[in-house]
Amino acid sequence: MSIKLTGSMWHQLFQQHAGSAMSLQGKIRQMLVSAILDGQLPVGIPLPSSRELSVQLAVARNTVVLAYQQLVDEGYLVSRERSGYFINADILAGGQKKQIPGPETQASGGPDWERRFTFRPSLQRNIVKRDNWQDYPYPFIYGQYDPVLFPTASWRESCLKALSVLDIHEWAQDMILRDDESLVQQIRSRVLPRRGVWASADEIVITVGAQQALYLLADLLMGSDTPVGIENPGYPDARNIFGSRTRHLLPLPVDHDGLLPDNHLLKQCDYVYLTPGHQCPTTVTMPLNRRQALLQKAEESDFILIEDDYESESRFQGDLTPTLKSLDRHHRVIYVGSLSKNLAPGLRIGYIVGPAPLIAELRGVRRLMLRHPSAYIQRAFSLFLSLGHYDAHQRRLSAAYRERAKVLGDALARYLPDLHPVPISGGASCWLRGPDWLDVETLCRRAEEKGVLIEPGNVFFMQDTMQHNHFRLGFSSIPIEKIEPGIRLLAEAMHELRPSGIP
Amino acid sequence: MSIKLTGSMWHQLFQQHAGSAMSLQGKIRQMLVSAILDGQLPVGIPLPSSRELSVQLAVARNTVVLAYQQLVDEGYLVSRERSGYFINADILAGGQKKQIPGPETQASGGPDWERRFTFRPSLQRNIVKRDNWQDYPYPFIYGQYDPVLFPTASWRESCLKALSVLDIHEWAQDMILRDDESLVQQIRSRVLPRRGVWASADEIVITVGAQQALYLLADLLMGSDTPVGIENPGYPDARNIFGSRTRHLLPLPVDHDGLLPDNHLLKQCDYVYLTPGHQCPTTVTMPLNRRQALLQKAEESDFILIEDDYESESRFQGDLTPTLKSLDRHHRVIYVGSLSKNLAPGLRIGYIVGPAPLIAELRGVRRLMLRHPSAYIQRAFSLFLSLGHYDAHQRRLSAAYRERAKVLGDALARYLPDLHPVPISGGASCWLRGPDWLDVETLCRRAEEKGVLIEPGNVFFMQDTMQHNHFRLGFSSIPIEKIEPGIRLLAEAMHELRPSGIP
């Protein structure tokens, strides 16, 4: 368009940016830059005077003046003596002229992609979480975050410090094989000692969340025939990751004490993936004697234990059982942890602890895969840890979860007495077995109609051993006052589904 | 230790944190938290009074008071009526008691890891960059960042806005398969149109740098026998990534116009990886007619073109040649770009543009590999783009690089007239062929002794076609005033190596 925008049009443009959490000045700049780059503003004609625009947008004049000035500094506008601000014609140059995509571009057909895929991750059975879980009043889902518990101020402080000129200078460059040394130092001195693990810097590698840790291990250690043991029921993402590399997954049953060390299948394994701290999904903790038996078995049968300590610090009472890694005397344990899981999963920072020769090669794979996790995030986490914010946050979480667990336990006993929940000892979820007639998928749908989100248990079982009457209730994201009414509604749903004749 | 620390000891502790770019109050907190968690402070005995400590550290008393108060809030200290501040004994509970690693833990031996590796990335031929390149006065290296050109204020602004409660609420959660919609929108409307590319949201996936883009493509599309064509000389990381999946790499020679479309090997390829914008490492730009010929060839022989547009916007004069993607009428081009490369490689954000069915499956692989790139970084980049900072930064860079290229060109003509540099048309590096007698590895070592870092060209060639007289001079990280003297020293090194008898 080549005509001057009217006041109302300005107002309209401005409204498009009203949503964003930005200063007025920022919004005005965003509006102008969009309008310029999208060709909505005429090039030859002066912009409204700061006075004019300030009136039309109902903002202080000085705000407009500052926005204009910064855009001049950035080369979007030029200011001409006595005739005001103009769009800098050069700034659109260099780029392609815009063009409406022609019919040709729309041409369908093209290559047969299906044929070209080496595997189909999208077809794997996965935990499904609704993007809009926050719209449900009773989200009993696991592994999200609770805005109320997020330490906004201290995370902000850590990010700010990581933006000092000195720090930027350190994280801005391509680190290729390296990690942020200060973060590795924090993990060594703050995080691991609490789990009884003492590692040197060359025994630690930072990853983009614990998920990448598992993928790196699969990539480096698992060929198409490598026998890998996994817990059943167990963590679906691990099953999918390892399953994408080897055809030889061995399901290992778990009981009320976790993985059984006397399972004859163990001898056949090259690797065994397990979650002894809180078994996923049953949440049971493996007792010390079983851990020792398992370590001995690993040494005897020459297999490696991959210990996923995803819920490390959140046990409600009593001492923590020593990690497998802390008991490992023969370098048989690869330890995987996450820093972001309990803070904000969206941040994606985890790590692997293992023997130096393994870590060195894992760095090589990581370099190939993506070089390194964002160095700015690494530095921010390092500061978050060193300022004590991380420990403080863990304690706050643990206290809040303990409360919620209590309320949840009471509500279950009261409204769903015929269910068999695993007693909650820590973490942020509860695993339940329903009556045999229960089809949990149906229950989920019925509960959802009542605003209650629960996680069906089927996905945690290997296909051929699937059970249809288990489910998981997460409490890391649901406000405490919603728990009791949520369980009441869940009980209603269950009641409605109960076949007649069954008391 | 169970004795009270003396003033000098406090001072010492404090000094350990002096380096970090933090407020005094932050440093004091960091010092105290470290000392508490590392058991350097006695539990039963009160900390020095704020007055006392402020004197010993020579800081304002109020600074100490505030530090103490925050540590009380975070549960590290408890304040007792009239007797001062004490360490909160509970905070060390829960964790393992510390233990000095015993001889057992040190036990060497353990599994034979070598035998367990499916491949050895650490043995691949890679570009080697000294971690301490910034200590050299004349670093002619490529792909790092220049502190002088980094837009500290505007990046800081973008990060701050991304830390608003509203924004945190959006990025903090586990996004699993999703990307930050505002970032995808910015890439669609700001970045791609300048390259003549028009894509819908389901044709874009965000990656942890362009490197992960290539790895995702290799993982999804390349089996052990998939024939993949790569430029020779070409980008070593691409060769290593694709080579880690297929044994069937086809080296395709390049000339002064880039990849040759009439190469008979093309017919055998399922995929062809190329850098038409500025060929890596020769920096030549592929002319339009060759691009069209290549696209036609791809359609005839049913292969896919992977276009790495790593230096997209930095061409010094004239219009940019349309990207392959912008000319693609039959969905034969997968387009790979980077956002962080020219800002701060350490940030790691890139993207892939391709047909929706491909992108959907790439998301599946990415979910498996690491779920998604840090959502906070995605949001910060989205704001950096929408505020116009990104475009402004690109323009600043381009201007600075143009200047440096001019100085470099003149210096080369003056001091190394018998070299054959490829004329610099854009980007941030120059590719040179030395005399036949030149062994570039020797030259690098000799130059390094004079404080000059250059990149040997060998690594860009496939092993069996290696040439020993090529090298690359990067100018993205060297101050302009260092270029001329740097080249003079390089010429000296060359002269010293020249075999007697050769003029």
Side-chain angles (χ1 to χ4, degrees):
Chain A
M1 56 207 279
S2 63
I3 53 126
K4 190 144 181 213
L5 276 72
T6 68
S8 71
M9 287 159 105
W10 278 110
H11 193 70
Q12 237 174 38
L13 265 182
F14 193 54
Q15 285 319 306
Q16 296 169 9
H17 301 273
S20 70
M22 228 184 285
S23 68
L24 273 176
Q25 202 227 99
K27 283 180 192 163
I28 294 174
R29 257 162 44 221
Q30 197 176 41
M31 165 188 76
L32 288 167
V33 169
S34 309
I36 291 169
L37 292 174
D38 302 348
Q40 293 171 300
L41 293 182
V43 174
I45 298 165
L47 292 173
S49 72
S50 52
R51 180 188 304 283
E52 223 179 311
L53 190 58
S54 66
V55 172
Q56 287 165 351
L57 302 182
V59 301
R61 180 177 176 185
N62 198 39
T63 311
V64 179
V65 174
L66 289 172
Y68 276 175
Q69 198 40 58
Q70 172 143 12
L71 289 174
V72 170
D73 301 343
E74 289 179 347
Y76 286 94
L77 301 180
V78 288
S79 140
R80 300 216 190 105
E81 204 66 55
R82 275 188 309 283
S83 45
Y85 291 99
F86 293 76
I87 293 169
N88 176 1
D90 307 346
I91 92 111
L92 290 166
Q96 303 284 317
K97 284 284 148 287
K98 285 205 176 195
Q99 55 192 28
I100 305 308
E104 276 192 315
T105 339
Q106 303 298 359
S108 65
D112 171 3
W113 291 104
E114 298 274 335
R115 182 177 60 73
R116 292 176 171 269
F117 297 148
T118 57
F119 68 127
R120 301 295 305 274
S122 65
L123 302 183
Q124 292 174 317
R125 292 165 52 236
N126 265 320
I127 298 174
V128 178
K129 290 200 178 77
R130 308 202 160 292
D131 297 347
N132 64 340
W133 63 270
Q134 303 188 67
D135 303 341
Y136 289 80
Y138 311 103
F140 288 98
I141 58 164
Y142 178 75
Q144 281 298 357
Y145 91 117
D146 181 341
V148 177
L149 295 174
F150 185 82
T152 307
S154 47
W155 177 250
R156 216 178 259 162
E157 179 192 23
S158 311
C159 289
L160 273 180
K161 292 186 191 311
L163 289 168
S164 77
V165 171
L166 196 79
D167 288 82
I168 290 175
H169 191 51
E170 289 175 14
W171 60 248
Q173 30 179 322
D174 182 349
M175 303 172 88
I176 308 177
L177 281 164
R178 284 182 303 139
D179 284 322
D180 184 306
E181 278 147 30
S182 65
L183 177 57
V184 172
Q185 178 55 26
Q186 287 300 316
I187 291 172
R188 290 182 55 202
S189 62
R190 285 264 175 299
V191 181
L192 295 178
R194 305 200 160 201
R195 313 296 287 124
V197 177
W198 303 86
S200 55
D202 63 355
E203 294 174 318
I204 300 172
V205 59
I206 310 292
T207 61
V208 182
Q211 181 112 1
Q212 194 203 8
L214 302 184
Y215 202 90
L216 286 169
L217 290 168
D219 236 11
L220 179 63
L221 301 174
M222 300 173 192
S224 55
D225 296 316
T226 310
V228 178
I230 57 172
E231 299 167 320
N232 188 41
Y235 182 45
D237 288 89
R239 184 183 67 221
N240 289 334
I241 290 167
F242 300 144
S244 73
R245 287 295 178 268
T246 178
R247 289 164 300 193
H248 200 166
L249 286 182
L250 298 149
L252 308 170
V254 298
D255 66 9
H256 57 284
D257 280 341
L259 196 69
L260 299 102
D262 50 12
N263 186 321
H264 66 287
L265 286 175
L266 282 173
K267 281 196 299 304
Q268 301 174 30
C269 296
D270 280 2
Y271 301 91
V272 174
Y273 168 83
L274 72 170
T275 52
H278 288 108
Q279 200 272 337
C280 171
T282 65
T283 75
V284 301
T285 298
M286 180 181 285
L288 185 55
N289 57 353
R290 206 175 262 208
R291 294 181 190 228
Q292 276 151 340
L294 206 51
L295 283 162
Q296 191 179 341
K297 198 66 158 268
E299 182 64 9
E300 285 163 12
S301 317
D302 187 23
F303 60 80
I304 303 294
L305 293 160
I306 301 173
E307 176 179 32
D308 188 341
D309 198 27
Y310 67 108
E311 274 182 343
S312 57
E313 307 225 352
S314 55
R315 189 166 165 77
F316 295 156
Q317 57 260 48
D319 282 355
L320 298 173
T321 321
T323 56
L324 283 170
K325 186 67 184 166
S326 72
L327 304 168
D328 179 24
R329 293 286 169 267
H330 305 285
H331 310 290
R332 292 247 158 234
V333 180
I334 302 171
Y335 179 92
V336 172
S338 170
L339 288 178
S340 53
K341 186 172 191 312
N342 288 334
L343 175 64
L347 283 171
R348 316 298 314 139
I349 289 284
Y351 54 91
I352 305 174
V353 183
L358 172 68
I359 295 298
E361 207 57 65
L362 284 169
R363 283 184 181 284
V365 185
R366 190 192 70 180
R367 178 238 166 98
L368 209 56
M369 195 181 283
L370 50 72
R371 300 178 97 82
H372 55 79
S374 181
Y376 166 50
I377 295 287
Q378 289 189 57
R379 178 55 56 93
F381 258 105
S382 156
L383 289 158
F384 190 70
L385 280 155
S386 67
L387 288 168
H389 295 321
Y390 185 80
D391 301 291
H393 175 63
Q394 292 286 2
R395 282 194 302 281
R396 257 198 311 276
L397 272 191
S398 200
Y401 289 170
R402 191 187 292 108
E403 265 191 280
R404 293 180 190 181
K406 175 87 176 61
V407 175
L408 177 59
D410 296 350
L412 286 170
R414 176 166 171 201
Y415 296 106
L416 290 164
D418 55 353
L419 287 196
H420 308 284
V422 174
I424 310 171
S425 62
S429 66
C430 177
W431 178 250
L432 303 96
R433 179 164 60 79
D436 298 343
W437 55 260
L438 179 68
D439 173 55
V440 76
E441 296 286 357
T442 320
L443 177 63
C444 290
R445 280 190 300 275
R446 181 64 64 96
E448 194 178 316
E449 291 160 15
K450 301 173 187 288
V452 181
L453 289 183
I454 68 174
E455 295 183 4
N458 322 19
V459 70
F460 296 97
F461 294 91
M462 293 282 274
Q463 188 83 54
D464 45 8
T465 63
M466 211 181 319
Q467 299 185 30
H468 294 277
N469 58 337
H470 292 66
F471 60 98
R472 183 166 75 166
L473 297 173
F475 49 86
S476 52
S477 312
I478 186 169
I480 189 159
E481 68 277 8
K482 298 286 191 178
I483 293 177
E484 191 269 356
I487 295 302
R488 195 176 343 116
L489 289 166
L490 181 62
E492 271 178 32
M494 185 88 88
H495 187 72
E496 291 161 18
L497 296 174
R498 182 186 306 270
S500 56
I502 297 182
Chain B
M1 58 212 273
S2 60
I3 52 127
K4 191 140 178 220
L5 275 73
T6 68
S8 71
M9 288 159 104
W10 279 109
H11 193 70
Q12 235 173 39
L13 266 182
F14 193 53
Q15 284 320 306
Q16 295 169 8
H17 301 272
S20 69
M22 229 183 287
S23 69
L24 273 176
Q25 203 226 99
K27 283 181 193 163
I28 294 174
R29 257 156 51 216
Q30 197 176 43
M31 164 187 76
L32 288 168
V33 169
S34 311
I36 291 168
L37 292 174
D38 301 348
Q40 294 172 297
L41 292 183
V43 174
I45 298 165
L47 292 175
S49 71
S50 51
R51 181 188 304 283
E52 220 179 313
L53 190 57
S54 66
V55 173
Q56 286 165 351
L57 303 182
V59 302
R61 179 177 177 185
N62 198 38
T63 310
V64 179
V65 173
L66 289 171
Y68 276 175
Q69 198 40 58
Q70 172 142 11
L71 290 174
V72 169
D73 300 343
E74 288 179 346
Y76 285 94
L77 301 180
V78 287
S79 141
R80 301 216 190 106
E81 205 66 53
R82 274 187 311 282
S83 45
Y85 291 97
F86 292 76
I87 292 169
N88 176 1
D90 306 348
I91 93 111
L92 290 166
Q96 304 285 318
K97 285 282 148 287
K98 283 207 177 195
Q99 57 192 21
I100 304 307
E104 275 194 316
T105 340
Q106 304 297 1
S108 63
D112 171 3
W113 291 104
E114 297 275 331
R115 183 178 58 73
R116 291 175 172 269
F117 297 148
T118 58
F119 68 127
R120 302 295 305 276
S122 64
L123 302 182
Q124 291 175 317
R125 292 166 51 235
N126 266 320
I127 298 174
V128 178
K129 290 199 177 78
R130 308 203 157 292
D131 296 347
N132 65 341
W133 63 270
Q134 300 187 70
D135 304 342
Y136 288 80
Y138 311 101
F140 287 99
I141 58 164
Y142 179 74
Q144 281 300 356
Y145 92 119
D146 181 341
V148 178
L149 294 174
F150 185 82
T152 307
S154 46
W155 176 251
R156 217 176 258 163
E157 180 191 21
S158 311
C159 289
L160 274 180
K161 292 186 190 309
L163 289 168
S164 78
V165 171
L166 194 80
D167 288 82
I168 290 175
H169 192 51
E170 289 175 14
W171 61 247
Q173 33 180 320
D174 182 348
M175 304 173 87
I176 308 177
L177 279 163
R178 285 182 303 140
D179 284 322
D180 184 304
E181 278 147 28
S182 64
L183 177 57
V184 172
Q185 178 55 25
Q186 286 300 317
I187 292 173
R188 289 183 56 203
S189 62
R190 285 265 175 296
V191 181
L192 294 178
R194 305 202 162 201
R195 312 295 288 124
V197 176
W198 303 86
S200 55
D202 62 356
E203 294 174 318
I204 300 172
V205 59
I206 311 292
T207 61
V208 182
Q211 181 113 1
Q212 195 204 7
L214 302 184
Y215 202 89
L216 286 168
L217 291 168
D219 238 12
L220 179 63
L221 301 173
M222 299 174 191
S224 55
D225 294 317
T226 311
V228 177
I230 56 172
E231 298 167 319
N232 189 41
Y235 182 46
D237 287 274
R239 183 183 66 221
N240 289 334
I241 291 168
F242 300 144
S244 73
R245 288 294 178 269
T246 179
R247 289 164 300 194
H248 200 166
L249 287 181
L250 298 150
L252 308 169
V254 298
D255 66 8
H256 57 283
D257 281 341
L259 195 70
L260 299 102
D262 49 12
N263 185 321
H264 67 287
L265 286 174
L266 283 172
K267 279 196 300 303
Q268 303 173 29
C269 297
D270 280 2
Y271 301 91
V272 174
Y273 168 83
L274 71 169
T275 52
H278 288 110
Q279 201 272 334
C280 171
T282 65
T283 75
V284 302
T285 299
M286 180 182 286
L288 185 56
N289 57 352
R290 209 176 258 207
R291 296 182 187 225
Q292 276 150 342
L294 206 51
L295 283 161
Q296 192 180 340
K297 198 65 156 269
E299 183 63 9
E300 286 162 11
S301 316
D302 187 23
F303 60 81
I304 304 293
L305 293 160
I306 300 173
E307 176 179 32
D308 187 341
D309 199 25
Y310 66 109
E311 273 183 344
S312 57
E313 306 226 353
S314 56
R315 190 167 165 76
F316 295 157
Q317 57 260 61
D319 284 353
L320 297 172
T321 320
T323 57
L324 282 170
K325 187 68 184 165
S326 71
L327 304 167
D328 179 24
R329 293 288 170 266
H330 305 285
H331 311 291
R332 291 246 156 236
V333 180
I334 301 170
Y335 179 92
V336 172
S338 169
L339 289 176
S340 53
K341 185 171 193 311
N342 288 334
L343 175 63
L347 285 170
R348 316 298 314 140
I349 289 283
Y351 55 92
I352 306 174
V353 183
L358 172 69
I359 294 299
E361 207 56 65
L362 284 170
R363 284 185 180 283
V365 184
R366 191 192 68 181
R367 177 239 166 97
L368 209 56
M369 195 180 285
L370 49 74
R371 300 178 98 79
H372 54 79
S374 182
Y376 165 51
I377 296 286
Q378 289 190 58
R379 176 56 55 94
F381 258 105
S382 157
L383 289 157
F384 191 69
L385 279 155
S386 66
L387 289 168
H389 295 320
Y390 186 80
D391 301 290
H393 175 61
Q394 292 287 2
R395 282 194 300 282
R396 255 198 313 276
L397 273 191
S398 199
Y401 289 170
R402 190 186 293 109
E403 262 192 283
R404 295 180 188 180
K406 175 85 176 63
V407 175
L408 177 59
D410 295 350
L412 286 170
R414 177 167 170 200
Y415 297 106
L416 291 164
D418 54 354
L419 287 194
H420 308 285
V422 175
I424 310 171
S425 62
S429 66
C430 176
W431 179 250
L432 303 96
R433 180 164 58 80
D436 300 343
W437 55 261
L438 178 68
D439 172 58
V440 77
E441 296 286 356
T442 321
L443 177 64
C444 289
R445 279 190 298 276
R446 182 63 64 94
E448 196 177 316
E449 293 161 13
K450 301 173 185 286
V452 181
L453 290 182
I454 68 172
E455 295 182 4
N458 322 18
V459 70
F460 297 96
F461 293 90
M462 293 281 273
Q463 189 82 54
D464 45 8
T465 64
M466 216 185 313
Q467 298 186 31
H468 294 276
N469 59 336
H470 292 66
F471 61 97
R472 182 166 76 165
L473 297 173
F475 48 86
S476 51
S477 313
I478 185 171
I480 189 160
E481 69 275 11
K482 298 285 192 179
I483 294 178
E484 191 267 355
I487 295 302
R488 197 179 338 119
L489 289 166
L490 180 63
E492 272 179 32
M494 185 87 89
H495 186 72
E496 293 161 16
L497 297 174
R498 182 187 306 272
S500 56
I502 297 185

Coordinates of all heavy atoms in Angstrom, one line a residue, chain B residues 222 226-230 238-240 242-244 246-251 462:
Chain B
M222 N 19.2 -41.7 5.9 CA 20.3 -42.4 5.4 C 20.6 -43.7 6.1 O 20.8 -43.7 7.3 CB 21.5 -41.5 5.5 CG 21.4 -40.2 4.7 SD 22.7 -39.0 4.9 CE 22.0 -37.6 4.1
T226 N 23.0 -45.9 1.7 CA 22.4 -44.8 0.9 C 23.5 -44.0 0.3 O 24.4 -43.5 0.9 CB 21.6 -43.9 1.9 OG1 20.7 -44.7 2.7 CG2 20.8 -42.9 1.1
P227 N 23.4 -43.9 -1.1 CA 24.4 -43.1 -1.8 C 24.2 -41.6 -1.6 O 23.1 -41.1 -1.9 CB 24.2 -43.4 -3.2 CG 22.9 -44.1 -3.4 CD 22.5 -44.5 -2.0
V228 N 25.1 -40.9 -1.0 CA 25.0 -39.5 -0.6 C 26.2 -38.7 -1.3 O 27.3 -39.0 -1.0 CB 25.0 -39.2 0.9 CG1 25.0 -37.7 1.2 CG2 23.9 -40.0 1.5
G229 N 25.9 -37.7 -2.1 CA 26.9 -36.9 -2.7 C 27.2 -35.7 -1.9 O 26.4 -35.0 -1.3
I230 N 28.5 -35.4 -1.8 CA 29.0 -34.2 -1.0 C 30.0 -33.5 -1.9 O 30.7 -34.1 -2.7 CB 29.6 -34.6 0.3 CG1 30.7 -35.6 0.2 CG2 28.5 -35.2 1.3 CD1 31.5 -35.8 1.5
A238 N 29.7 -32.0 7.7 CA 28.6 -32.7 6.9 C 29.2 -34.1 6.5 O 28.5 -35.1 6.6 CB 28.3 -31.9 5.7
R239 N 30.4 -34.1 6.0 CA 31.0 -35.4 5.6 C 31.0 -36.4 6.8 O 30.7 -37.5 6.6 CB 32.5 -35.1 5.1 CG 33.2 -36.4 4.6 CD 34.6 -36.0 4.2 NE 35.4 -35.7 5.4 CZ 36.3 -34.7 5.5 NH1 36.5 -33.9 4.4 NH2 37.0 -34.4 6.6
N240 N 31.4 -35.9 8.0 CA 31.4 -36.8 9.1 C 30.1 -37.3 9.6 O 29.9 -38.4 9.9 CB 32.1 -36.1 10.3 CG 33.6 -35.9 10.0 OD1 34.2 -36.7 9.3 ND2 34.2 -34.9 10.6
F242 N 27.2 -37.5 7.7 CA 26.6 -38.4 6.7 C 27.4 -39.7 6.7 O 26.9 -40.8 6.6 CB 26.5 -37.8 5.4 CG 25.7 -36.5 5.3 CD1 26.0 -35.4 4.5 CD2 24.5 -36.4 6.1 CE1 25.2 -34.3 4.5 CE2 23.7 -35.3 6.1 CZ 24.1 -34.2 5.3
G243 N 28.7 -39.5 6.9 CA 29.6 -40.7 6.9 C 29.4 -41.6 8.1 O 29.8 -42.8 8.1
S244 N 28.8 -41.1 9.1 CA 28.5 -41.9 10.3 C 27.3 -42.8 10.1 O 27.0 -43.7 10.9 CB 28.3 -41.0 11.5 OG 27.1 -40.4 11.5
T246 N 26.1 -43.6 6.4 CA 26.3 -44.4 5.2 C 27.7 -44.6 4.9 O 28.6 -43.8 5.2 CB 25.6 -43.7 4.0 OG1 25.8 -44.5 2.8 CG2 26.2 -42.3 3.8
R247 N 28.0 -45.8 4.3 CA 29.4 -46.1 3.8 C 29.6 -45.6 2.4 O 30.6 -45.8 1.8 CB 29.6 -47.6 3.8 CG 29.7 -48.2 5.2 CD 29.5 -49.7 5.1 NE 28.2 -50.1 4.6 CZ 27.7 -51.3 4.6 NH1 28.4 -52.3 5.2 NH2 26.5 -51.5 4.1
H248 N 28.5 -45.0 1.9 CA 28.5 -44.7 0.4 C 28.5 -43.2 0.1 O 27.5 -42.7 -0.4 CB 27.2 -45.4 -0.1 CG 27.3 -45.6 -1.6 ND1 26.5 -46.4 -2.3 CD2 28.2 -45.1 -2.5 CE1 26.8 -46.4 -3.6 NE2 27.8 -45.6 -3.8
L249 N 29.6 -42.5 0.5 CA 29.7 -41.1 0.2 C 30.3 -40.9 -1.2 O 31.4 -41.5 -1.5 CB 30.6 -40.4 1.3 CG 30.0 -40.2 2.6 CD1 31.0 -39.4 3.5 CD2 28.7 -39.4 2.6
L250 N 29.7 -40.1 -2.0 CA 30.3 -39.8 -3.3 C 30.9 -38.4 -3.4 O 30.1 -37.4 -3.3 CB 29.2 -39.9 -4.4 CG 28.6 -41.3 -4.5 CD1 27.1 -41.3 -4.9 CD2 29.4 -42.2 -5.5
P251 N 32.2 -38.2 -3.5 CA 32.8 -36.9 -3.6 C 32.5 -36.2 -4.9 O 32.8 -36.8 -6.0 CB 34.3 -37.1 -3.4 CG 34.5 -38.6 -3.8 CD 33.2 -39.3 -3.6
M462 N 38.3 -35.0 0.7 CA 38.2 -36.4 1.1 C 39.6 -37.0 1.2 O 40.5 -36.6 0.4 CB 37.4 -37.2 0.0 CG 35.9 -36.8 -0.1 SD 34.9 -37.6 1.1 CE 34.5 -39.1 0.3

